[in-house]
Amino acid sequence: MSDETIISIEKVSKTFVMGDVQVPVLHEINLEIKEGDFVVIVGPSGSGKSTLLNLIGGLDRPTSGVIWFDQPDQEISRFSDTQLTAYRREHVGFVFQFYNLVPTLTATENVQVASELNKEGMDPQEALKLVGLEHRVEHFPSQMSGGEQQRVAIARAIAKNPRLLLCDEPTGALDLTTGRSILGVLHKLNQELGKTIILITHNSAIAAMGTRCVHLGSGTIATMEENTHPVSPEEITW
């Protein structure tokens, strides 16, 4: 982990408007993410985890406050739609709880779709090798287990060679053994490739493997802890 700040969040709030009803979800969040961080954001359903991840990933805009990416002149909270699209394409990889693979494409083809979005993209088969799926490159999603499909989804996310890897409950649909293997892949990407990872989860046990744990509650940061001795994914149990 370096001392360079890649994401800076200052007094960010988000309120959704549903007809005449306003639903506040986040309230004055302050958070800095360093290059090479592995940040685990923990909180129950409705605490604002996914909303915060979507704001960082440029899928939504805050109601108030600012979000900076990398440099002071890149205030993504004020980007146009075109700028947000470029930001997501060039700098952000997404991993979701449900894999969202194209069922009619092979593993290689699913990853290739993402790698071609960025001129700095990786070779699809190299990305699949990084997640331990070099033997499944020509298989379709229906021919793979849930854990293998999630590995393809991770390979697809990193194939763009993004600065940020944003993971929304990546183990939520998996059993303990398979979930550990997915966490192992993310740990490898963080340690060996230096990818900055932000992972949100309701599972507090996963926080032990992060360099930092942020606890969200009712749309605010309840606590934030540095972890000087992260545990390996093999040590995590739930």
Side-chain angles (χ1 to χ4, degrees), residues 3 10 27 47-48 71 82-83 90 94-95 105 112 136 141 151 164 167 216 222-223 232:
D3 291 328
E10 301 176 7
H27 180 67
S47 60
Q71 300 174 20
T82 300
Q83 288 173 311
E90 296 171 10
F94 295 94
V95 179
L105 299 181
Q112 186 174 9
R136 301 291 249 169
R151 286 172 183 259
L164 284 168
C167 306
L216 276 187
T223 62
S232 68

Side-chain angles (χ1 to χ4, degrees), residues 153-195:
I154 294 172
R156 179 182 58 191
I158 64 171
K160 296 188 297 181
N161 203 17
R163 299 276 301 282
L164 284 168
L165 191 59
L166 306 183
C167 306
D168 190 344
E169 297 277 9
T171 63
L174 304 173
D175 60 65
L176 173 59
T177 300
T178 309
R180 278 177 174 165
S181 72
I182 294 304
L183 294 176
V185 171
L186 296 175
H187 183 262
K188 175 182 177 181
L189 296 174
N190 175 254
Q191 293 295 303
E192 297 183 12
L193 298 187
K195 295 299 180 185

